[in-house]
Amino acid sequence: MSAPSVNKGLTFAGSPIKLRNIVLFFAGVGILYLIPQFLDGKPFELRLLTVIFLYAVMGQSWNILGGYAGQISIGHAMFFGLGAYTSTIAFLNFGVNPWIGGLLAVAVSALAGVLIGIPCFRLRSHYFVIATLVVAESIFLIFSEWSFVGAAIGLELPIRPSGWENFQFHRNKIPYYYIALTMLVVVTIFVIWMERSKIGFVLKGIRDDEDAVRSLGFSPLRYKLIAMAFSAGILGFCGTFYAQYVLLIEPPTVLFASISVIVALIPIFGGIGTVAGPIIGSVILLTISEYSRVHFSGSGRNVDLLIYGALIMVFAAYCPGGVMSMISSLRARFRKGAV
Amino acid sequence: MTAELLLQLLVSGLGMGFIFALIAIGLALIYGVMNVVNFAHGEFLMISMYASVFAFTLGGLDPVVTLPFVAVAMFGFGVAVYYLLMKRVLGGAMHSQIFATFGLMVFLQAAAQFTFGADYYSINHSWLGGTVRIGGVTLPMPQIVAAVGAILCTACLYLLVFRTRVGRSLRAVSQDRVAALTMGIDADRMNALAWGLAAACIGVAGSLLSNFYYVFPRVGAVFVLVAYVTVALGGFGSIGGALAAGVAIGVLQVFSGFFMTSTLKFVPVFALYLLIVLFRPTGLLGKQ
């Protein structure tokens, strides 16, 4: 456990955050907390914002592992699904309060992440990607067959009276908005802290040159596992939130490959390895998917996935840094023009 | 369990195995030449299966007739994907290479869902219906044709890669890209050729498969995950290895399907992938 002497010479501190940015951040958050006052009788807009916050959190959690540590996972639906199943099963079978169930979900998902990570993190690049795909598909298949978890039919949550203690709100859905927003604020602050801490520096080091990090005396495996535990744990709570929001979970909605796709796509589209990336990605992509759902509703034609697929290809080929890199290159051009 | 049943399972496993091998060979070819995993490989299969099925239901043409056309069309498709998409990400970051083919996968799957819906399509009463009894073993005719077709296609590909000048250039690029460039080999064209050949193999596999397997938008996902395992087992980039591994996996999945629910029959195959890459990261038969 003793740190090698080499580490003593290294300092881990990002440049201090500007006061202006802190003020802007909390002003923005304050406005977001006030918005529901104006959304009375606008269920579509309320739902849109709630899912944008939820998916931004999910994107942040993928970004911890995929963006900062550079470990691309296309199987993250499994952690979301495990979280949804954990709190639901705990409630159905043991009467555990969903809030405590949510904490259990964090623990179960994080533990699953670590257990999957220990063998899989030995693999690099494509092999790791394929491993995550294969594990997620196996879990999907097993849950579709396992009668204890409802098999292919899934599990339905019994309706309880609306209220914070039950984590269920029926007529007035605004509390879900507050919960999702609070999740986003907490996770975003956590990621900002993490990015500037020792963990963040080591993770970025692993992404850029794993062997160099090892030669400095850090264990890449240990830091990858930490990133995986954060990433999977946060998704676990998102799964619980989803289960309480929709009150029905089934393998195709909580464990399916399309969730793994969207969770990875949000940060990639917005800007991989940046704090704002997942938020920008979620705003743009979820707006597209919710509107396409309204316009092509019930057709089951997945217009959103069609658009997503095209966007992933175009961004991979023409703009691998996502929207954030577009913004910064535009800024650079603007500054040049101004001088 | 009788000897006859065992033989029956073994033979039908072998039949499926040659199809798996053909799919995996394309993946191994692209990987060998470009060091890129084609995540849209299963969707290439899906496209060629839809092509065969609709040629049959709309034009009354049996997959055996349309096979060469599907193969040629898929060759063109593979080359187009290389020039329009893959060429742009070759020098880029690892994640953009992964997401280029991954995006293609999502796009093609969603496009199929958009165009054809989630319904299952299959070919009824093809020219090659019926069964053949050899000894105590009953074999459906389409599966025999598929196995024979897959073996023939693999043999042709083998001859092309190992016995011709073009094949030698292809192998040269996969062994040492820079050295191949200095010898005057156009690596770009070889990459395009690898994509074309891989897609053509898939075209053949899809045509053969469509005779006895239904097609739906996510059909490729099932086969491509198995193809990854096959390639891992056979050694990434090795054509002979992919053939041997494909056959072995075909047999494994038939047996595991017999002993457990058929939905779960691929879980042992997936577990095999993890086991192999953990202990032999370059594949079971690959060079260490």
Side-chain angles (χ1 to χ4, degrees), chain A residues 20-292:
Chain A
R20 190 193 68 171
N21 291 349
I22 297 175
V23 172
L24 280 175
F25 178 82
F26 283 102
V29 169
I31 291 169
L32 288 176
Y33 273 102
L34 290 176
I35 279 182
Q37 309 303 324
F38 310 101
L39 287 179
D40 213 20
K42 287 182 178 156
F44 177 79
E45 284 77 5
L46 187 67
R47 182 192 142 84
L48 177 64
L49 287 170
T50 309
V51 292
I52 284 175
F53 298 149
L54 174 67
Y55 277 85
V57 175
M58 290 162 70
Q60 292 284 22
S61 89
W62 185 92
N63 205 24
I64 294 174
L65 187 67
Y68 291 106
Q71 307 299 307
I72 309 273
S73 156
I74 310 289
H76 258 44
M78 60 186 154
F79 304 121
F80 181 74
L82 280 176
Y85 274 102
T86 301
S87 61
T88 306
I89 290 170
F91 177 70
L92 288 175
N93 293 3
F94 310 104
V96 177
N97 182 289
W99 290 102
I100 298 173
L103 297 180
L104 276 177
V106 172
V108 167
S109 291
L111 184 68
V114 170
L115 289 179
I116 291 164
I118 288 170
C120 291
F121 280 138
R122 293 179 45 175
L123 309 170
R124 289 196 186 182
S125 65
H126 315 298
Y127 310 115
F128 178 78
V129 178
I130 297 172
T132 60
L133 265 171
V134 160
V135 172
E137 183 76 15
S138 301
I139 291 181
F140 170 74
L141 290 175
I142 291 168
F143 272 64
S144 307
E145 283 292 317
W146 192 11
S147 55
F148 176 68
V149 298
I153 302 158
L155 298 171
E156 206 172 325
L157 279 101
I159 306 286
R160 304 291 300 274
S162 286
W164 287 90
E165 69 283 1
N166 288 331
F167 203 150
Q168 281 191 19
F169 309 94
H170 303 296
R171 197 159 300 151
N172 177 5
K173 302 267 183 200
I174 287 174
Y176 287 120
Y177 174 101
Y178 287 127
I179 298 170
L181 177 58
T182 309
M183 275 161 61
L184 179 59
V185 171
V186 170
V187 168
T188 302
I189 292 173
F190 172 77
V191 172
I192 292 171
W193 166 79
M194 191 209 74
E195 189 190 20
R196 308 161 63 79
S197 73
K198 180 174 148 186
I199 298 172
F201 280 85
V202 178
L203 291 182
K204 280 180 268 182
I206 292 171
R207 177 187 65 195
D208 297 336
D209 190 341
E210 188 169 335
D211 296 317
V213 170
R214 187 175 290 118
S215 73
L216 284 171
F218 295 103
S219 153
L221 175 66
R222 194 164 144 204
Y223 282 89
K224 285 183 200 173
L225 288 177
I226 292 173
M228 176 65 117
F230 287 154
S231 179
I234 294 168
L235 264 181
F237 195 84
C238 293
T240 298
F241 176 84
Y242 178 89
Q244 296 300 127
Y245 187 47
V246 179
L247 299 175
L248 170 68
I249 56 170
E250 45 191 354
T253 50
V254 296
L255 279 170
F256 203 46
S258 55
I259 295 172
S260 299
V261 174
I262 177 81
V263 166
L265 177 57
I266 285 169
I268 290 161
F269 181 77
I272 189 167
T274 62
V275 178
I279 300 171
I280 295 174
S282 181
V283 169
I284 297 173
L285 295 177
L286 266 296
T287 308
I288 293 174
S289 84
E290 289 298 305
Y291 275 97
S292 82

Side-chain angles (χ1 to χ4, degrees), chain A residues 62 72 74 119-120 122-123 125-127 129-131 133-135 137-138 141-142 145 256-257 261 264 268 272 300-303 305-306 309-310 312-313 316-318 320, chain B residues 31 35-37 39 85 88-89 94-100 102-104 106-107 110-111 113-115 117 218 225 228 236 261 263-264 266-267 270 273-274 277-278 281:
Chain A
W62 185 92
I72 309 273
I74 310 289
C120 291
R122 293 179 45 175
L123 309 170
S125 65
H126 315 298
Y127 310 115
V129 178
I130 297 172
L133 265 171
V134 160
V135 172
E137 183 76 15
S138 301
L141 290 175
I142 291 168
E145 283 292 317
F256 203 46
V261 174
I268 290 161
I272 189 167
R301 293 196 175 238
N302 283 342
V303 179
L305 281 179
L306 195 67
I312 309 177
M313 279 191 288
Y318 295 92
Chain B
Y31 186 86
N35 216 15
V36 163
V37 172
F39 284 99
L85 182 67
R88 303 204 132 265
V89 295
M94 180 60 74
H95 78 254
S96 52
Q97 290 182 13
I98 290 173
F99 283 110
F102 191 74
L104 186 62
V106 174
F107 179 77
Q113 178 112 1
F114 185 76
T115 324
R218 248 179 72 83
L225 283 174
Y228 295 142
F236 288 87
T261 337
T263 0
L264 292 181
F266 287 116
V267 174
F270 297 158
Y273 169 83
L274 292 177
V277 290
L278 287 177

